[in-house]
Amino acid sequence: MSATDGSAGLPQLRTIADYQFGSGAGAALFPPAESLTVKRTSSGRPQQIHADSGRIVSFGIDGRFTLGLEGGRRLDEALAEPAYRVVVDDESEPFVRDEKNVFTKFVLEVGDEIRPGDEVLVVHERGELLAVGTARLDAGAIRDFETGMAVNIREGVPAET
């Protein structure tokens, strides 16, 4: 399979993940030994990649991944902190889990590489993954701005009862 016809296989998808999130991300998201389900469009382009535990990623028409919670969990384990993470505290936790967006004034720490449009992990200061979403500002602006949306949350991790 060649990546040019839109029918990327897992090796190509690992390469894209390494490019998007850094070295090692592809193997973390799509381990070679794991059996993954690739849902494709009618033209054969990968659309979503699932593991038994849930959706890892969706593959956008822009050639970038959007994270599902399972993908967020895998990246959280694989990437050195604070890469691709936006860190919040107890005050924000219930809102983030409830899929409310993160605003800059509630961010404690942010990965330096984050740019607007990047997929990010929203984590509690104790290290627990709370949600995945899309950064709306770059790392410097998230740090410096008192107001404004930092992350548009896509999917939150439900609180354990």
Side-chain angles (χ1 to χ4, degrees), residues 122-159:
V122 179
V123 296
H124 190 279
E125 60 187 330
R126 67 179 170 261
E128 184 183 350
L129 179 69
L130 301 177
V132 292
T134 306
R136 291 291 158 224
L137 300 166
D138 67 37
I142 291 172
R143 273 190 209 100
D144 296 344
F145 291 3
E146 292 294 319
T147 61
M149 190 191 309
V151 181
N152 187 346
I153 299 297
R154 178 175 324 94
E155 198 174 349
V157 177

Side-chain angles (χ1 to χ4, degrees), residues 67-138:
L67 291 170
L69 278 179
E70 180 58 24
R73 286 185 189 100
R74 291 169 184 226
L75 284 184
D76 191 37
E77 289 179 16
L79 299 178
E81 292 182 24
Y84 291 97
R85 289 175 182 83
V86 173
V87 181
V88 299
D89 63 10
D90 288 336
E91 188 179 358
S92 298
E93 179 180 5
F95 299 101
V96 172
R97 285 184 185 279
D98 199 30
E99 301 178 353
K100 304 286 190 277
N101 297 326
V102 176
F103 289 86
T104 55
K105 69 181 180 178
F106 299 108
V107 174
L108 304 178
E109 188 179 0
V110 60
D112 288 333
E113 69 291 316
I114 293 174
R115 300 166 304 206
D118 279 353
E119 287 295 297
V120 296
L121 313 174
V122 179
V123 296
H124 190 279
E125 60 187 330
R126 67 179 170 261
E128 184 183 350
L129 179 69
L130 301 177
V132 292
T134 306
R136 291 291 158 224
L137 300 166
D138 67 37

Side-chain angles (χ1 to χ4, degrees), residues 40-71:
R40 298 180 180 274
T41 62
S42 57
S43 66
R45 187 180 69 76
Q47 197 169 29
Q48 292 188 349
I49 296 96
H50 290 258
D52 291 341
S53 49
R55 184 173 64 90
I56 301 172
V57 295
S58 296
F59 189 57
I61 55 172
D62 63 355
R64 292 172 48 142
F65 293 118
T66 56
L67 291 170
L69 278 179
E70 180 58 24

